[in-house]
Amino acid sequence: QVHLVESGGGLVQPGGSLRLSCAVSGNIFDWTTMAWYRQAPGKQRELVAHITSGGGTNYADSVKGRFTISRNNAKNAVYLQMNSMKPEETAVYYCNGLSRIFPWGQGTQVTVSS
């Protein structure tokens, strides 16, 4: 069974940075494209970025140039470095697969506010 545990969220000022982490348990990580998603209050969950098993990345237009997704296959972990954050990026952030979706974790709350 796959378990996803997100961490690293918190309160950050506009223009600030946060680094999110996702620990993945289960024998799927090495070959699975992983992604970060976010869900703001009252909105649908949206895809933020994804990274293939080989390290290829793709980003939503709204975060290009500011967010960086990475992974450490040895640690079964995926990360999201978020810079120059905006208030509208306040959301619960989740990691999961891309083409294959696993049971969702609890997510990590990110609040961008002064």
Side-chain angles (χ1 to χ4, degrees), residues 3-7 21-25 29 36 75-78 95:
H3 291 281
L4 305 168
V5 180
E6 302 90 349
S7 62
S21 298
C22 174
V24 183
S25 65
F29 191 77
W36 282 97
K75 294 185 176 180
N76 280 15
V78 61
C95 68

Side-chain angles (χ1 to χ4, degrees), residues 38-107:
R38 65 188 178 192
Q39 186 167 20
K43 295 188 177 181
Q44 289 190 332
R45 190 172 291 161
E46 65 172 342
L47 176 64
V48 175
H50 71 260
I51 183 166
T52 68
S53 58
T57 59
N58 198 20
Y59 299 90
D61 287 343
S62 60
V63 306
K64 281 181 181 176
R66 299 186 299 115
F67 288 15
T68 302
I69 188 171
S70 60
R71 66 192 290 161
N72 185 325
N73 289 345
K75 294 185 176 180
N76 280 15
V78 61
Y79 308 99
L80 186 67
Q81 177 67 44
M82 306 184 293
N83 299 328
S84 302
M85 296 199 70
K86 304 175 181 180
E88 56 265 36
E89 293 176 321
T90 293
V92 180
Y93 284 70
Y94 302 87
C95 68
N96 211 312
L98 182 64
S99 56
R100 182 178 175 185
I101 298 297
F102 305 100
W104 293 92
Q106 82 287 351

